[in-house]
Amino acid sequence: LKLLFDTGTSKSVLYDINQIGGESILNKKNSSKIIAKGAINKIEVIKYTSDSISSKIFKSKLQQLLIVNNQNQVTCNQKLNYDGILGIDSFEYSDKPLYLNYQNNTFSFVESFNSNDFTEINSKFSRSKIYLEMKVNNESNYFLLDTGADAFILLEKDFKDRLPNSSIETLIG
């Protein structure tokens, strides 16, 4: 499977149940149909709890996945080149630090952690989301770390609430 790692997504999602064995793996103990709020609209998904999920970099037991079994419910302006989304829930209980290497476009767990090799930054973990402290015009605030976003987005209302003494033109222009 090719999955997009998205720290802004709280639950992992697969786009086709056939990717993990088809409907024969579902039963009343491990799955149920629910309505989930997507980025644009509400859609029907299967909430599935797997016995385990693993890859080269992580292992998880009793992992919950949302499965979008009807692609007609999903509206997207571009063709997706991945089979689902690996949300932050897959790493929430890891006992090792997760290393994001943007230069090489990779991520991995740090086996032997040496704090001298890294720069510590203020951050918060809340409701399965990672927030990093940033300064804008000398005002500190916390912003969502979203590895699945392909652009920097700051809503105008959010901006005015968080940084009342700044203007959007100051940042963009």
Side-chain angles (χ1 to χ4, degrees):
L1 291 175
K2 187 175 180 183
L3 302 174
L4 171 70
F5 174 47
D6 187 353
T7 57
T9 301
S10 58
K11 291 282 183 207
S12 296
V13 179
L14 291 178
Y15 296 136
D16 184 357
I17 196 164
N18 293 318
Q19 297 166 327
I20 56 171
E23 292 194 25
S24 63
I25 65 165
L26 303 177
N27 61 54
K28 289 181 181 178
K29 290 181 183 177
N30 71 5
S31 63
S32 61
K33 288 188 177 184
I34 64 168
I35 301 296
K37 183 178 180 235
I40 298 172
N41 57 355
K42 293 182 180 179
I43 59 174
E44 183 179 281
V45 297
I46 299 169
K47 185 167 97 174
Y48 170 71
T49 304
S50 68
D51 292 331
S52 67
I53 293 179
S54 64
S55 75
K56 290 180 183 177
I57 62 162
F58 81 98
K59 292 180 184 175
S60 181
K61 291 184 179 182
L62 300 175
Q63 175 73 38
Q64 278 193 358
L65 297 169
L66 299 180
I67 302 169
V68 179
N69 211 26
N70 180 355
Q71 287 299 304
N72 295 331
Q73 301 179 89
V74 180
T75 305
C76 189
N77 295 336
Q78 63 190 63
K79 183 178 177 349
L80 302 177
N81 61 353
Y82 44 88
D83 302 314
I85 299 171
L86 186 62
I88 194 67
D89 58 321
S90 299
F91 304 96
E92 195 168 357
Y93 300 105
S94 172
D95 57 351
K96 297 176 184 166
L98 184 64
Y99 175 59
L100 302 174
N101 184 330
Y102 284 97
Q103 187 173 9
N104 294 329
N105 205 22
T106 61
F107 66 96
S108 60
F109 284 106
V110 177
E111 291 295 329
S112 58
F113 181 73
N114 180 351
S115 61
N116 294 329
D117 293 339
F118 298 90
T119 302
E120 186 174 333
I121 58 172
N122 290 333
S123 60
K124 293 194 272 188
F125 191 82
S126 174
R127 294 181 160 185
S128 298
K129 305 263 189 219
I130 300 170
Y131 296 91
L132 303 178
E133 184 180 35
M134 295 174 56
K135 280 188 177 182
V136 178
N137 294 339
N138 291 323
E139 290 185 54
S140 291
N141 215 309
Y142 286 87
F143 294 88
L144 176 67
L145 172 66
D146 188 350
T147 58
D150 58 3
F152 176 78
I153 298 172
L154 184 60
L155 301 176
E156 188 172 357
K157 181 191 177 314
D158 242 7
F159 182 84
K160 287 179 181 176
D161 289 348
R162 290 174 184 240
L163 301 164
N165 298 326
S166 299
S167 69
I168 292 178
E169 292 77 23
T170 303
L171 292 177
I172 297 173

